[in-house]
């Protein structure tokens, strides 16, 4: 009997261990490799290392620049490559500033947009400091393909296309035919250097029907594009500094910006200049391997070996996928699981190459320029929190280093200029922490507590005195501004937030106050800042505790939380009905409340529970949002935000509906990018980041969650989600 009992227990243990055996990470990743078999300009693929990315077309290189220009463009971008047009009018940032009085007891000076001709230099300053600096497209490396009669092969003449992104190896393998002749290309980027490398195999090489072309553009300075103006050859310089048998160094000078390009190749080939900024590499054999390094300083000439580049890249990416976290949906029987896994795996790769920068990334990463290539600090939460939850805190650390060493002084100066204590973190910025003038961004405040949230993530990963010393001063200064920014309303006997535009940007400084997410985030930030003081042996700040205890609750109407209180009304329900019908000509306040980001759910989803709201009312609010929201006005990270709220509210079915809701801005392209709009925002990495954060939460839970495994998935037997390495959310 004892023997049978022992065998039973042993079998149970074996069965449990088998069910949660180590996940075959290679299988999870590889079954989600993007495979492209036809031309689709939105399906461009990228290789990169977090600091440098090259995006390629179906040839595996940047061969058809014009054809892909309005899809996902073919750029080579870095976190160090920036440019400014000459400041010919000697404009100063202060010329775009304007004073406001929001009832904080003093005037506040903001960097705003002057748009009228009569605004003169103020308008000029607006235009200049919004555009400059902007991110550079460092260059294009593509194939020039000819038929047997010497005519250029167009994109639609390529046949037998097959391109696969080998995610686990960090390379792209491309094959196609020209006039029936095969071309094969392997493309990669070195993990620790900004070096593109490629190996081309084709009989077309030896006949020079396939040659490698290097092109260098002048920047455009446009809001959203490939940053490539090919019409101004006289405005920049491409000087060959050095040329030897298998190497060339080109010095690029673009106004005040200088960088270098080192071309190395294996085997027999000839290098020549075709025009001011175009160069060609002509092979003498059927195989050509080469690398292109982009550097800030004059490069040192080294030997090039494709096998070494390939081995280094593959080893790096194999190790990367085998560390950190992974989620396996293969045992799930719900029909949505396969697509969810695809999105998760591709988002891991895309956020790593595009967002693991030396500073907060731009919303389109290093793929192409949007908002002139500049970072928006309110998006830092969406870009960065996922790295902490997926067990890669080193990425959070390198971005917070930029906050500490570069942005901290500038943020203190902004607070001083506006008459506040502490630091006020800017919104739209650049590598040197400049503040772009904006009639929206300059008035946002929801980026302010991000620093505290991310510092807390670092402490959760490394709960040491060193962590407290590293981030403690900035946590303190961030909270000082927050405490100084609130206003005590003697009639309501509550602290209020006013003079700010909300996360839900249609709720501007001019029409509303006490917006819900900002209230909840202020509550969270001051509470955590007090914890940091206690960890450092400091007393709690009395005023902070008073604000925490007496902060305004979330505004509501009929037991549903709303987007804010209209200015001019002490109580929202005296002013409007959130269920009213807007006029066709003028959008009502109520219609604004169900447009743009459903930020009210962020107060519950992104943050730990707060006494500022009641769970039952928040559940009703979630239901109301799902039934009444204007989905055409949402953005890519909204779906994750809704899902996180649903998970915390114990509604995993709604969480899955939100994550996979069928709307344009929730589209996941074959390459994994989150498509938003065809005109300017074809990819949107905050959407990828939101997905990763949400799935981590659904799997590993959050502080205070009673379930330790998969609390965010339905318990219907269809969601046997397996995972490793995830960290619980705050």
């Amino acid at each position: 009997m004892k023997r049978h009992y022992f065998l039973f227990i042993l079998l149970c243990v074996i069965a449990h261990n088998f069910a949660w055996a180590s996940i075959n990470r290679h299988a999870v990743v590889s079954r989600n490799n993007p495979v492209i078999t036809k031309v689709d300009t939105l399906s461009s693929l990228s290789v990169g290392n977090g600091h440098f990315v090259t995006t390629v077309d179906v040839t595996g290189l940047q061969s058809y620049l014009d054809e892909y220009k309005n899809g996902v463009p073919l750029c080579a971008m870095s976190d160090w490559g920036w440019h400014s047009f000459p400041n010919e009018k000697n404009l100063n940032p202060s010329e775009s500033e304007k004073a406001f009085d929001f009832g904080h007891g003093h005037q506040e000076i903001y960097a705003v947009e002057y748009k009228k001709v009569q605004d003169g230099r103020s308008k000029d300053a607006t235009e200049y400091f919004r555009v400059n600096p902007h991110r550079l497209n460092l260059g294009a490396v593509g194939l020039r393909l000819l038929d047997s009669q010497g005519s250029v092969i167009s994109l639609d003449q390529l046949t037998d296309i097959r391109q696969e992104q080998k995610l686990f190896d960090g390379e792209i393998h491309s094959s196609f035919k020209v006039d029936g002749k095969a071309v094969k290309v392997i493309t990669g980027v070195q993990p620790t250097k900004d070096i593109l490398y490629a190996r081309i195999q084709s009989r077309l090489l030896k006949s020079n029907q396939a040659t490698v072309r290097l092109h260098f553009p002048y920047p455009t300075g446009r809001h959203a594009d490939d940053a490539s103006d090919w019409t101004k050859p006289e405005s920049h310089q491409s000087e060959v500094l050095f040329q030897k048998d298998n190497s060339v160094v080109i010095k690029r000078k673009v106004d005040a910006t200088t960088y270098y390009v080192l071309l190395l190749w294996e085997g027999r080939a000839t290098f020549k200049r075709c025009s001011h900024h175009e160069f060609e590499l002509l092979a003498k054999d059927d195989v050509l391997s080469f690398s292109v390094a982009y550097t800030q300083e004059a490069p040192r000439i080294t030997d090039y070996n494709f096998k070494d580049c390939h081995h280094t890249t593959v080893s790096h990416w194999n190790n990367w996928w085998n560390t950190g976290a992974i989620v396996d949906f293969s045992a799930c029987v719900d029909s949505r699981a396969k697509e969810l896994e695809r999105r998760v795996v591709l988002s891991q790769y895309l956020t790593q190459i595009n967002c693991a920068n030396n500073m907060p990334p731009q919303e389109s990463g290093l793929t192409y320029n949007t908002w002139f290539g500049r970072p928006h600090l309110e998006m830092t939460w969406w870009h960065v929190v996922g790295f902490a939850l997926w067990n890669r805190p080193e990425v959070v650390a390198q971005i917070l280093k930029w906050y500490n060493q570069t942005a901290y002084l500038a943020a203190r100066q902004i607070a001083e200029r506006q008459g506040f204590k502490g630091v006020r973190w800017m919104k739209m910025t650049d590598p040197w922490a400049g503040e772009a003038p904006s009639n929206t961004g300059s008035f946002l405040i929801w980026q302010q507590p991000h620093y505290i949230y991310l510092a807390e993530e670092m402490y959760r990963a490394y709960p040491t005195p060193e962590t407290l010393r590293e981030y403690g001063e900035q946590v303190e200064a961030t909270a000082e501004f927050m405490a100084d920014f609130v206003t005590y309303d003697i009639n309501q006997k509550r602290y209020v937030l006013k003079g700010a535009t909300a996360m839900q940007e249609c709720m501007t400084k001019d029409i509303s106050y006490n917006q819900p997410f900002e209230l909840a985030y202020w509550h969270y930030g001051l509470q955590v800042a007090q914890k940091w003081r206690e960890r450092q042996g400091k007393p709690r700040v009395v005023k902070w505790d008073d604000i925490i205890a007496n902060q305004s609750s979330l505004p509501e109407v009929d037991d549903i939380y709303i987007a804010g209180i209209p200015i001019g009304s002490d109580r929202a329900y005296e002013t409007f009905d959130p269920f009213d019908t807007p006029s066709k000509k003028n959008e009502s306040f109520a219609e604004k409340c169900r447009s743009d980001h459903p930020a009210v759910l962020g107060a519950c989803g992104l943050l730990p529970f707060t006494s500022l709201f009641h769970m039952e009312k928040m559940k009703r609010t979630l239901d109301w949002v799902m039934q009444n929201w204007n989905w055409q006005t949402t953005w890519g990270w909204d779906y994750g935000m809704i899902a996180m709220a649903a998970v915390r509210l114990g509604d995993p079915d709604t969480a899955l509906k939100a994550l996979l809701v069928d709307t344009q801005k929730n589209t996941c392209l074959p390459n994994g990018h989150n498509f938003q709009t065809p005109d300017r925002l074809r990819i949107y990495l905050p959407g990828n980041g939101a997905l990763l954060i949400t799935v981590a939460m659904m799997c590993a839970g959050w502080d205070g969650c009673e379930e330790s495994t998969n609390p965010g998935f339905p318990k219907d037997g269809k969601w046997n989600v397996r995972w490793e390495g995830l960290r619980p959310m705050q």
Side-chain angles (χ1 to χ4, degrees), residues 277-292:
H277 307 290
E278 187 173 2
F279 304 87
E280 189 171 32
L281 191 61
L282 302 93
K284 298 181 180 180
D285 299 297
D286 294 339
V287 177
L288 176 63
S289 299
F290 66 90
S291 70
V292 179

Side-chain angles (χ1 to χ4, degrees), residues 95-381:
E95 293 179 275
S96 71
E97 293 172 357
K98 184 178 180 180
F100 293 81
D101 185 351
F102 292 122
H104 292 117
H106 51 78
Q107 285 203 324
E108 305 161 38
I109 300 174
Y110 290 81
V112 301
E113 295 175 70
Y114 288 88
K115 298 182 177 182
K116 299 177 181 178
V117 174
Q118 56 265 39
D119 290 329
R121 285 181 63 87
S122 291
K123 181 178 183 291
D124 294 338
T126 290
E127 294 172 350
Y128 184 83
F129 291 109
R130 277 185 66 78
V131 171
N132 297 289
H134 42 262
R135 201 180 302 264
L136 278 173
N137 180 9
L138 298 172
V141 182
L143 286 171
R144 182 171 184 265
L145 300 167
L146 306 175
D147 62 19
S148 56
Q149 283 74 46
S151 298
V152 175
I153 295 292
S154 62
L155 181 60
D156 59 10
Q157 289 178 286
L158 303 181
T159 63
D160 299 271
I161 293 168
R162 191 184 190 282
Q163 184 177 49
E164 182 172 3
Q165 181 126 43
K166 302 279 190 177
L167 294 168
F168 207 79
D169 294 340
E171 291 185 333
I172 298 170
H173 290 212
S174 310
S175 63
F176 56 94
K177 288 183 178 179
V178 174
D179 274 354
K181 298 184 178 75
V183 181
K184 295 181 179 180
V185 181
I186 298 174
T187 316
V189 160
Q190 286 285 272
T192 60
K193 298 178 180 179
D194 299 341
I195 299 176
L196 168 73
Y197 66 88
R199 182 179 186 271
I200 307 166
Q201 183 177 356
S202 176
R203 286 185 294 160
L204 296 173
L205 287 169
K206 193 173 183 178
S207 64
N208 291 157
Q209 286 177 257
T211 61
V212 175
R213 286 276 178 113
L214 280 72
H215 307 245
F216 300 106
Y218 189 70
T220 64
R222 294 199 184 102
H223 182 276
D225 67 354
D226 60 358
S228 300
D229 185 343
W230 304 100
T231 68
K232 294 184 173 64
E234 73 287 350
S235 298
H236 54 126
Q237 300 172 23
S238 300
E239 177 187 358
V240 176
L241 290 183
F242 174 89
Q243 183 172 348
K244 210 172 179 181
D245 292 341
N246 293 81
S247 58
V248 172
V249 175
I250 300 169
K251 181 180 179 181
R252 291 278 298 133
K253 188 166 178 55
V254 189
D255 297 316
T257 299
T258 299
Y259 66 97
Y260 300 84
V261 182
L262 170 61
L263 171 66
L264 300 171
W265 64 90
E266 282 184 297
R268 300 185 304 154
T270 302
F271 175 84
K272 71 173 187 178
R273 181 192 286 269
C274 302
S275 64
H276 287 294
H277 307 290
E278 187 173 2
F279 304 87
E280 189 171 32
L281 191 61
L282 302 93
K284 298 181 180 180
D285 299 297
D286 294 339
V287 177
L288 176 63
S289 299
F290 66 90
S291 70
V292 179
Y294 299 94
T295 63
Q296 292 177 273
E297 307 294 335
R300 182 173 62 89
I301 309 301
T302 59
D303 293 330
Y304 166 71
N305 181 284
F306 171 79
K307 289 183 179 179
D308 289 344
C309 285
H310 169 74
H311 175 74
T312 300
T313 300
V314 170
S315 296
H316 168 81
W317 280 101
N318 288 180
N319 179 69
W320 189 87
W321 285 109
N322 280 315
T323 55
I326 196 78
V327 180
D328 180 359
F329 290 85
S330 62
C332 301
V333 295
D334 191 290
S335 60
R336 297 168 291 180
K338 185 176 181 181
E339 172 61 11
L340 190 54
E341 182 184 89
R342 182 184 78 90
R343 295 186 182 201
V344 168
V345 169
L346 293 177
S347 292
Q348 286 179 267
Y349 175 78
L350 291 173
T351 54
Q352 178 64 25
I353 65 170
N354 280 288
C355 303
N357 302 164
N358 284 330
M359 62 176 295
Q362 71 161 320
E363 292 175 51
S364 49
L366 300 175
T367 302
Y368 77 97
N369 275 357
T370 52
W371 285 280
F372 315 104
R374 303 177 75 162
H376 291 182
L377 294 197
E378 87 277 24
M379 290 294 103
T380 302
W381 198 95

